[in-house]
Amino acid sequence: MSELTEHERTHLRQAFMRGFYQRSVGSFNGPIPALAGMPLFEHFLQHGLERNISPTMFFDSAYYQSQLAQPIGIPFLLHFMREGAAAGLKPHRLIDPRYMAESGTYTDAATVVSWLNTDAGRDARTHPLFWGDYYLESNTDIEIPELSALGHYLAHPFQTKQKSPREPNPFFSSRWYANHSTWEEGDAMSPLEHFVAKGMLDDLSPTPLFDTAHYRDESGVGRGPESPGSAYLHFMQSGLWDDISPHSMIEPAFLRSRYGDVIPPGQPAVLYYLRTEHEQLLQPSTRFHPRGVHGFQVGESRQSAWRGHVLERYLMGDARGTRLEAPLLVDEDIHDELLAVGEIAPDYAVAFLDQADGLQRQNFNVFLDPRTRLLDMLDAEVLDDTKAVIAIPAFRHGGAELIASNIARVFADRGIPTVILVTELAVTADLGWFPEGQPIIDLASMRKQLSMNPDDVVRVLGEFLLGIEPAIVVNVNSSVLWQTYQTYGLTLSQVMSLWTNLFCFDYDTRGFPVGYANRLVETIDYLDSILVDNQTFADLLCDRFAFGGVNAAKFAVSRTPMLVELEVKESFTLEPGVRPRALWTGRFAPQKRPDFCYEVAALVPEVDFVMYGTGDDRPPDTLENAIDAGVYDSFASIAPWEFDLFFHTAAWEGLPVSIVEAAGAGLPVVAPLVGGIGEILDEGTGYPLATDATPEDYAAAVRACLADRNTAEARATALRSRVGEMHSWGNFDEVVTNRIDESKQRRPGPFNRFSL
Amino acid sequence: MSSPDVTAVVNLHHERESCVPTLRSLGVAASFAVEQGHDVEILVLLDNADDRTREVARTVLGDQPRYVESTAGDLGLARNRAVDEASGTYACFLDGDDLWGFRWIARAFEAAEAAERDAIWHPATNFVSGKMPHVYHHVGSEHRMFKASRFRLHNGWTALSFARTSIYRDIPYPPNLLKSGFGYEDWSWNTETLRRGIPHRVVEGTSHYINKRESSLLTSSVHALPTRYHTLDWNALSEAGDANV
């Protein structure tokens, strides 16, 4: 290392932060002489500098190193001062000397690190996204700052529990970013650093006030290999100053037309709005008015000079439901009209006048009500060229999701852009079942966030579907979509093909059939296709509701395909001294009758009944051979081929996937002929039982299966062969594809639009 | 004699004394328009009206207006009857329990005259009183946020419109069939005019006052669809509406 010049020494001393350096030495991972007995700055010069231990929070050695193309022979900080600054390198992610020079903030890049530690640099804008002046102005509680704005920001990391986070610029929401990025509590980087390092690369938005897609539309700034930059950065560097709209609810032209006389010359309209909206309840566009938002109270924010934007809080979903505490803002002309109407008919005007004049607080409906909000949220998620929508109630390992994913796969194979709509329970994890490129839209979370009543959700869903006009909508057990079919089925069916999938009836405690299938009576005229997984159920429905002709033809049996190639049971010989094992899988719920299994287990004590599944009605401890094996991830994971038989006890069914899978693994099956089970199970393929069979009948069937293993093997082989034919992917694909073609014939309009 | 600039129509039925504020707001708005130099004809359409409602109308408005009796028994058809009788270049409608802001007739007329083409005009703001008082802002069909396709489930504009009388003649209101689930003659009319490429626009600085009674037809059938729904060409509407934007 060449000797320090006096100039360099002076700037290093000016940049030096004692406490920061002490902590840096303390966390240094390597040998270094102790601090004791030596002035700290001398310690830095003699030991810290060459080890690249930074003496200031404005120089990030690791970040600096990441910018170097090759190893250098001198300490990073010196390199920056001597060469790096001139070469455009940055001392820290949030310090951009070139930006500072271009904006006239500070021109001597080589000494920027020390300059920031002086009074002159206290409120500097060090980066297009870090506005020191804004930071200090919006955090008036920082009374005697010992640090610059940037230093304070870096030294006080954001915590999600903070009520009023300190933000680096008026267009940044740490909480929003935390919820919409990979940033996590305790992250070594601040949200802004994280955004600069990662979020910008993914073109994320760090605030609900900035809609990336909208901005790209408005500004014409595309994104692609030629233009990989961040739309948000573009906005902060130029769009803001050019009055380009950052969000559909913020229109600079509208702001100029309405408030042009008070917006200071040279100030971006959107900035003026953000700065004063809170105090004056400015309207940012024709689409939004703060007076319509519930739950907003003037003066509730600590940082009232800037923070607490009604629109921001509205978009974040935390402003709703309580009393409006803001004055009603009306044009002067309309205020005159209100007064005139008040003279004629006080009932029509007084409430609004009181609100407008601040005399009384009233609870008004929102102008942009949750329905509009939800519609916007849905629109933001959907693909532009969506041609099919598949709705499911939840997103977990269940039958509805399995069927939906199979239909989605057919659509994907046919090149039909499809979105998956999850309507009742919020999505918590990716299933990995759906084809890539099919967006999962979490309507359940959206409606929960907006606390919407079901009728409103139905209406929005109807509007949403009409807005995107897909060719096909498939309902796989979504309650809200069923209601939408019932309410708007006639309307929707004019322009799109409505399908549904049904599994089976449920039955109440009286034995009455309940469930979605009952809704067919009201909706069948709107439907083009009704997919069921077994013929028996289709026949039952046609018989029950007297569906014939055109309506009967709407039913199609789409048997759940067996997609996983399971290992096949090889030996049917029972090992002497080893207890036989029967496999039972299903929900521990009345429909599956686990209690029936317990009764059979008690009658057949020589066999272990190993029971897998979710639910609370678990096997009793008193029964040693009814074994609670917990839940399972997949059928293959429990190695079904190692069991001696598959045991099924459901009271009602469609055609359970578990039996299909057990057949695929080569297991002999003992099951009642409920639902469509009889379509694959008979005396030649297994051990069928009557629907009213007793536990003794089941016990006899189990013993028969275990007594004659040659017959058991022959039946299992026959069952596997039958299931292989009936439940092939090819069959499923053909059925769904045929339905697409039939829908196309029936309603050519929607399909012609897409050339499907 | 030249025809008046505007025929201001109020539709009455069995409102009795409850329509007094409506008639007064009509009188004030007409007077203001006259003060601005516009010629206004007031037409009171009494559709199967009772005697008390007739008396109230004459008491408030005097003998100056034209009183037209009809037996249509339907709001949409009654409006058509009024249009048949109207002699103004433009027409506008007021229902028996709603109010106009005093600038409505004048401002709407001035906006229509200044426009480069015919349009249907609506007030900027509606103050809706009743159990759930709220403010509803109209958005014009040429606004970029307007989506014609959504019009299928949501009527974007109230019935109290202002337009050239010939438009109302060319495109009459359908009957209100709300009881059959296909009501809202105004929704249907708004839709049809939009489909024909006539823009719907907003008159800035104007307001209407809607009384949304609990028993109001407006609230009685949430899921009703526009009258003549089946005969509307929705795809053409979307194209026309989107082309408008």
Side-chain angles (χ1 to χ4, degrees), chain A residues 326-339:
Chain A
L328 173 65
L329 188 76
V330 294
D331 290 349
E332 204 170 306
D333 283 354
I334 291 180
H335 192 272
D336 286 350
E337 293 202 331
L338 264 169
L339 279 173

Side-chain angles (χ1 to χ4, degrees), chain B residues 89-112:
Chain B
T89 307
Y90 295 89
C92 51
F93 297 100
L94 180 62
D95 291 341
D97 55 357
D98 300 333
L99 277 68
W100 284 337
F102 69 86
R103 290 191 186 86
W104 170 240
I105 298 174
R107 285 268 174 96
F109 173 72
E110 289 156 12

Side-chain angles (χ1 to χ4, degrees), chain A residues 346-593:
Chain A
D347 288 353
Y348 285 73
V350 165
F352 299 104
L353 276 169
D354 284 351
Q355 182 80 0
D357 297 342
L359 298 177
Q360 187 182 329
R361 309 302 186 195
Q362 276 271 344
N363 192 1
F364 283 89
N365 271 4
V366 291
F367 161 49
L368 251 175
D369 66 20
R371 292 186 309 200
T372 310
R373 179 74 202 292
L374 179 60
L375 202 48
D376 285 341
M377 292 165 90
L378 287 168
D379 280 347
E381 300 275 334
V382 77
L383 298 170
D384 285 342
D385 61 345
T386 297
K387 295 173 187 169
V389 174
I390 301 174
I392 45 178
F395 206 67
R396 54 193 177 194
H397 292 93
E401 291 83 349
L402 184 64
I403 287 287
S405 65
N406 287 331
I407 297 170
R409 192 175 145 196
V410 177
F411 287 177
D413 291 346
R414 296 285 171 279
I416 302 172
T418 303
V419 298
I420 312 302
L421 197 61
V422 183
T423 60
E424 324 292 326
L425 293 174
V427 175
T428 54
D430 185 14
L431 282 180
W433 282 6
F434 288 86
E436 274 188 32
Q438 293 184 344
I440 310 295
I441 300 182
D442 189 356
L443 171 61
S445 289
M446 294 176 187
R447 55 190 283 199
K448 184 179 173 191
Q449 183 186 339
L450 297 171
S451 301
M452 290 183 67
N453 70 56
D455 283 348
D456 281 345
V457 177
V458 167
R459 181 153 188 156
V460 169
L461 189 51
E463 292 195 33
F464 170 67
L465 292 173
L466 285 168
I468 62 171
E469 292 187 352
I472 305 170
V473 179
V474 187
N475 186 3
V476 188
N477 271 18
S478 160
S479 173
V480 69
L481 187 56
W482 268 112
Q483 291 173 57
T484 307
Y485 279 8
Q486 287 172 283
T487 310
Y488 300 118
L490 172 63
T491 312
L492 296 171
S493 63
Q494 310 292 313
V495 287
M496 61 194 76
S497 181
L498 304 181
W499 296 16
T500 193
N501 181 88
L502 291 169
F503 290 96
C504 63
F505 275 121
D506 280 330
Y507 292 86
D508 69 8
T509 52
R510 300 175 196 85
F512 294 164
V514 294
Y516 295 129
N518 282 327
R519 303 193 189 198
L520 282 180
V521 179
E522 291 174 69
T523 56
I524 194 161
D525 286 342
Y526 315 140
L527 295 172
D528 279 351
S529 271
I530 304 158
L531 303 178
V532 292
D533 65 2
N534 65 92
Q535 185 64 50
T536 308
F537 189 47
D539 295 343
L540 172 70
L541 290 172
C542 287
D543 180 54
R544 181 174 182 83
F545 299 122
F547 293 144
V550 172
N551 283 341
K554 293 178 179 179
F555 287 87
V557 180
S558 54
R559 299 181 189 279
T560 306
M562 199 167 53
L563 297 179
V564 179
E565 196 69 29
L566 293 169
E567 201 171 316
V568 180
K569 183 170 184 60
E570 289 181 349
S571 170
F572 281 70
T573 307
L574 300 178
E575 296 292 329
V578 177
R579 290 172 60 80
R581 294 193 308 154
L583 173 62
W584 185 98
T585 64
R587 273 176 297 112
F588 286 85
Q591 181 202 347
K592 305 294 182 183
R593 294 198 301 181

Side-chain angles (χ1 to χ4, degrees), chain A residues 506-704:
Chain A
D506 280 330
Y507 292 86
D508 69 8
T509 52
R510 300 175 196 85
F512 294 164
V514 294
Y516 295 129
N518 282 327
R519 303 193 189 198
L520 282 180
V521 179
E522 291 174 69
T523 56
I524 194 161
D525 286 342
Y526 315 140
L527 295 172
D528 279 351
S529 271
I530 304 158
L531 303 178
V532 292
D533 65 2
N534 65 92
Q535 185 64 50
T536 308
F537 189 47
D539 295 343
L540 172 70
L541 290 172
C542 287
D543 180 54
R544 181 174 182 83
F545 299 122
F547 293 144
V550 172
N551 283 341
K554 293 178 179 179
F555 287 87
V557 180
S558 54
R559 299 181 189 279
T560 306
M562 199 167 53
L563 297 179
V564 179
E565 196 69 29
L566 293 169
E567 201 171 316
V568 180
K569 183 170 184 60
E570 289 181 349
S571 170
F572 281 70
T573 307
L574 300 178
E575 296 292 329
V578 177
R579 290 172 60 80
R581 294 193 308 154
L583 173 62
W584 185 98
T585 64
R587 273 176 297 112
F588 286 85
Q591 181 202 347
K592 305 294 182 183
R593 294 198 301 181
D595 51 335
F596 207 85
C597 184
Y598 311 150
E599 287 188 49
V600 176
L603 294 171
V604 193
E606 70 275 20
V607 176
D608 284 340
F609 290 80
V610 181
M611 304 176 74
Y612 285 93
T614 56
D616 298 327
D617 188 13
R618 314 300 299 193
D621 293 338
T622 52
L623 204 58
E624 287 188 358
N625 65 329
I627 298 162
D628 184 352
V631 297
Y632 62 98
D633 288 335
S634 67
F635 201 65
S637 69
I638 58 179
W641 50 88
E642 292 180 358
F643 287 82
D644 299 303
L645 63 94
F646 185 78
F647 190 61
H648 194 75
T649 52
W652 66 85
E653 279 289 5
L655 207 174
V657 175
S658 58
I659 291 186
V660 174
E661 290 181 317
L667 283 184
V669 172
V670 177
L673 295 179
V674 293
I677 293 176
E679 292 172 32
I680 57 172
L681 199 69
D682 56 32
E683 292 289 349
T685 58
Y687 297 84
L689 288 149
T691 53
D692 59 353
T694 63
E696 288 74 15
D697 296 332
Y698 278 81
V702 168
R703 287 194 168 119

Side-chain angles (χ1 to χ4, degrees), chain B:
Chain B
M1 193 176 98
S2 62
S3 61
D5 296 324
V6 181
T7 297
V9 177
V10 59
N11 288 82
L12 298 178
H13 177 47
H14 288 164
E15 289 78 5
R16 302 165 73 91
E17 287 82 357
S18 71
C19 69
V20 171
T22 300
L23 299 174
R24 290 206 167 124
S25 82
L26 166 63
V28 171
S31 298
F32 181 80
V34 170
E35 284 171 22
Q36 304 301 307
H38 313 314
D39 188 7
V40 178
E41 170 192 51
I42 296 178
L43 195 156
V44 181
L45 197 290
L46 296 152
D47 187 32
N48 290 335
D50 56 28
D51 289 343
R52 185 61 194 140
T53 302
R54 274 192 204 93
E55 286 172 27
V56 167
R58 285 192 183 271
T59 302
V60 175
L61 295 175
D63 294 329
Q64 189 72 14
R66 291 177 59 200
Y67 291 90
V68 175
E69 297 279 347
S70 87
T71 55
D74 177 277
L75 189 54
L77 300 182
R79 284 203 191 104
N80 294 340
R81 175 71 200 284
V83 169
D84 288 342
E85 296 285 338
S87 53
T89 307
Y90 295 89
C92 51
F93 297 100
L94 180 62
D95 291 341
D97 55 357
D98 300 333
L99 277 68
W100 284 337
F102 69 86
R103 290 191 186 86
W104 170 240
I105 298 174
R107 285 268 174 96
F109 173 72
E110 289 156 12
E113 284 287 283
E116 80 292 354
R117 59 175 297 190
D118 280 346
I120 319 287
W121 299 88
H122 302 276
T125 304
N126 296 283
F127 293 95
V128 184
S129 52
K131 189 178 179 183
M132 294 281 284
H134 63 278
V135 182
Y136 179 74
H137 298 269
H138 278 139
V139 175
S141 64
E142 294 157 313
H143 193 282
R144 63 191 180 83
M145 294 305 171
F146 178 81
K147 290 193 176 180
S149 57
R150 301 229 168 101
F151 215 76
R152 288 173 186 156
L153 289 185
H154 177 74
N155 182 10
W157 306 298
T158 66
L160 309 186
S161 57
F162 181 107
R164 197 174 284 279
T165 309
S166 58
I167 292 179
Y168 293 113
R169 289 204 177 102
D170 292 346
I171 310 172
Y173 282 96
N176 187 320
L177 303 172
L178 200 55
K179 286 177 183 170
S180 69
F182 292 91
Y184 299 146
E185 77 296 335
D186 53 326
W187 187 357
S188 184
W189 188 83
N190 287 336
T191 308
E192 180 61 20
T193 49
L194 187 66
R195 189 190 68 77
R196 295 198 191 190
I198 306 172
H200 285 245
R201 292 178 177 170
V202 166
V203 184
E204 291 298 335
T206 59
S207 56
H208 286 180
Y209 301 80
I210 312 295
N211 183 11
K212 205 163 185 176
R213 294 165 301 169
E214 289 311 293
S215 59
S216 165
L217 279 180
L218 285 170
T219 57
S220 65
S221 183
V222 174
H223 301 309
L225 293 168
T227 311
R228 292 186 179 162
Y229 180 86
H230 294 291
T231 63
L232 290 170
D233 182 345
W234 291 103
N235 286 331
L237 168 68
S238 291
E239 285 159 18
D242 293 339
N244 254 340
V245 174

